[in-house]
Amino acid sequence: MFSEKRNEGRVGHASSLIVGRTAGRVRGRERLNVYYDEDADLSVLKNDIVAIVGYGNQGQAQALNMRDSGVNVIVGNVKDSYYDQAAKDGFKAYSIGEAAKQATIICMIIPDEVQKGVYETEIQQHLSKGKMLVFSSGYNIHFGFIAPPKDVDVIDMFPLTFGARVRERFLNRQSLGSFLAIGQDATGKAKQKALALAKAIGCTRGGTFETTFAHETEINLYLEQVVYPAIFRIMALSFDVLVDAGYPPELVSLEMYLSKEPSEFFASMAELGFFESAKVGSTTAQYGEMTRAPRIIKDDIKNIMKEHLREIQTGVFANEWALEQAAGYPVFNKLRKEGLEHPMNEVEKRVKKLIRPQEAQSKIQSG
Ligand code: NDP
């Protein structure tokens, strides 16, 4: 594991601002470095061959964006439909080992849980001095599952959205951002090259925010393990409460998520602000939210949240997940099966059939 201090300050040449970490009561402060298009120079990659290892969600998007930005990109993938897709998209596609051998920059864009095995069998023997290893998530480096040699550069480039959006926003010239962490700078050029890669993907358009492997990984896991599950659990329990009380399950699902209203609400939050966005709702909605929120989720839940954070920080979660994988995913498969057997699945199929898609609506309008 890299020795990274939490909350460490870094000074850079790009826009820097001091941010308070807790609204009102500032507990800790850190200097935040943000980099934009003008801070990155694509020409530093002119002698590099970038191998995208894994042509999946993020891999395909990043490969296409980088190529459109003039970077020399090849693809490494198992020979199956993803491999065929890469070839169809016009890339030179190779086995993962061959791509790693040819490349000077190797981007590991396969699921976190398979990275260690692929690294050990196909990548590490080709990591000669001066090459760069790029991750789209700091997980394996931070928790020590992968320990690259000291004479290669290691970075974490974490785009702040799904692969499909990474491509869509690039093509539409929309704002896109990322986290960037430099784990190891063996060549003295790691940051320059990392920023060029960020620019090639399109991430310096919105802003590439410098962080550490520890912060990127732990914040991401915390959101996945505390914030989103809390929202999803409240929704699933609300389905039970409302349906048990006699409300039609179709209407409950429609209003709760099939209308896509929640995603629009979250988009408003990003645009208007966490509290300001409440104003997109009626005053009745605002009053209901403000008075009821603390009654539903009481402040002492923070103790449980802190416990989960500790499990992330101390590696308890990472070890548990590694053991689960080694055992053949018994808990994962059981819980996933239970979720897919929940009555909401049947209900949503019925409701989705009743919602007219935009294309059908457009056809009717155009006669
Ligand atoms: P995907 O599930 O889309 O990745 C699929 C790719 O991984 C395919 O090319 C697949 O090849 C390959 N792959 C899967 N298993 C293996 C294996 N055992 N051996 C070799 N190749 C394998 O993953 P994502 O793109 O979602 O995620 C990749 C990385 O990007 C992760 O580190 C993730 O944390 C990070 N990330 C993802 C984001 C997202 O939006 N999804 C956002 C930010 C970061 P095949 O099936 O052909 O073997």
Side-chain angles (χ1 to χ4, degrees):
M1 199 184 306
F2 290 105
S3 58
E4 291 174 325
K5 289 188 213 105
R6 294 197 169 81
N7 303 336
E8 76 189 322
R10 284 167 190 258
V11 183
H13 64 279
S15 303
S16 287
L17 61 156
I18 301 287
V19 287
R21 302 186 66 224
T22 311
R25 291 171 299 134
V26 179
R27 294 233 175 92
R29 283 173 177 271
E30 64 186 81
R31 184 169 290 278
L32 199 56
N33 291 332
V34 193
Y35 299 91
Y36 303 97
D37 278 353
E38 60 274 22
D39 301 310
D41 176 6
L42 286 171
S43 73
V44 301
L45 300 174
K46 65 179 186 298
N47 297 323
D48 283 299
I49 298 175
V50 176
I52 299 291
V53 172
Y55 202 68
N57 288 322
Q58 278 291 332
Q60 182 181 30
Q62 293 190 25
L64 291 167
N65 291 5
M66 283 192 207
R67 184 176 65 186
D68 287 354
S69 299
V71 176
N72 187 1
V73 180
I74 60 173
V75 170
N77 205 92
V78 176
K79 288 200 174 154
D80 61 9
S81 58
Y82 287 103
Y83 180 99
D84 294 342
Q85 184 62 47
K88 207 168 137 204
D89 288 346
F91 289 104
K92 284 183 184 158
Y94 300 96
S95 66
I96 293 175
E98 181 56 31
K101 187 175 164 193
Q102 290 192 21
T104 51
I105 297 178
I106 301 161
C107 302
M108 293 281 277
I109 320 189
I110 55 179
D112 294 337
E113 67 272 21
V114 303
Q115 286 185 7
K116 179 179 162 61
V118 172
Y119 174 83
E120 287 171 354
T121 54
E122 312 235 31
I123 308 270
Q124 67 180 356
Q125 62 271 36
H126 302 299
L127 273 181
S128 49
K129 185 176 175 185
K131 285 198 180 187
M132 177 182 258
L133 194 54
V134 181
F135 292 85
S136 284
S137 139
Y139 192 93
N140 282 286
I141 294 291
H142 177 55
F143 290 115
F145 295 118
I146 293 178
K150 292 283 168 230
D151 56 2
V152 301
D153 294 340
V154 182
I155 68 155
D156 177 14
M157 169 75 60
F158 183 86
L160 291 166
T161 190
F162 307 122
R165 296 279 172 278
V166 167
R167 182 62 181 155
E168 194 180 289
R169 290 192 192 175
F170 180 89
L171 289 175
N172 296 331
R173 298 213 57 78
Q174 288 167 319
S175 180
L176 175 64
S178 69
F179 284 146
L180 169 66
I182 311 293
Q184 220 168 251
D185 183 7
T187 63
K189 293 184 188 148
K191 190 155 173 181
Q192 257 185 318
K193 287 202 174 184
L195 287 173
L197 289 171
K199 183 173 184 173
I201 300 167
C203 295
T204 44
R205 287 182 187 171
T208 286
F209 289 71
E210 190 170 5
T211 181
T212 60
F213 273 67
H215 283 191
E216 182 275 295
T217 306
E218 291 172 4
I219 294 171
N220 187 245
L221 289 174
Y222 182 87
L223 291 177
E224 288 170 358
Q225 293 176 30
V226 178
V227 178
Y228 299 128
I231 296 170
F232 300 151
R233 179 107 176 116
I234 288 274
M235 288 169 87
L237 292 176
S238 294
F239 179 89
D240 294 345
V241 167
L242 290 168
V243 172
D244 286 352
Y247 297 93
E250 292 82 1
L251 300 194
V252 171
S253 305
L254 185 64
E255 175 128 20
M256 197 155 63
Y257 66 100
L258 290 170
S259 61
K260 299 191 179 169
E261 194 184 359
S263 57
E264 283 156 15
F265 185 72
F266 278 103
S268 305
M269 197 186 278
E271 272 158 34
L272 303 176
F274 190 84
F275 291 104
E276 283 291 325
S277 63
K279 290 182 185 160
V280 299
S282 65
T283 39
T284 307
Q286 290 176 51
Y287 179 76
E289 281 160 22
M290 291 187 290
T291 53
R292 267 55 184 175
R295 282 173 54 191
I296 300 168
I297 312 248
K298 301 196 190 322
D299 279 1
D300 60 9
I301 198 178
K302 277 190 181 173
N303 293 327
I304 299 170
M305 293 156 102
K306 285 176 187 168
E307 193 183 313
H308 286 278
L309 179 59
R310 264 193 305 276
E311 285 188 3
I312 292 168
Q313 291 172 330
T314 54
V316 167
F317 171 80
N319 286 333
E320 176 188 320
W321 180 215
L323 289 172
E324 169 71 5
Q325 291 157 34
Y329 298 84
V331 177
F332 181 90
N333 289 334
K334 177 176 169 286
L335 295 176
R336 180 176 254 186
K337 183 166 175 281
E338 277 172 21
L340 292 173
E341 284 166 1
H342 192 281
M344 281 168 93
N345 295 286
E346 278 309 310
V347 173
E348 69 192 16
K349 277 185 202 139
R350 288 203 295 279
V351 178
K352 281 172 88 171
K353 280 191 193 141
L354 295 172
I355 301 174
R356 185 176 274 170
Q358 198 178 332
E359 311 84 71
Q361 178 65 20
S362 313
K363 263 189 207 157
I364 292 164
Q365 279 171 351
S366 63

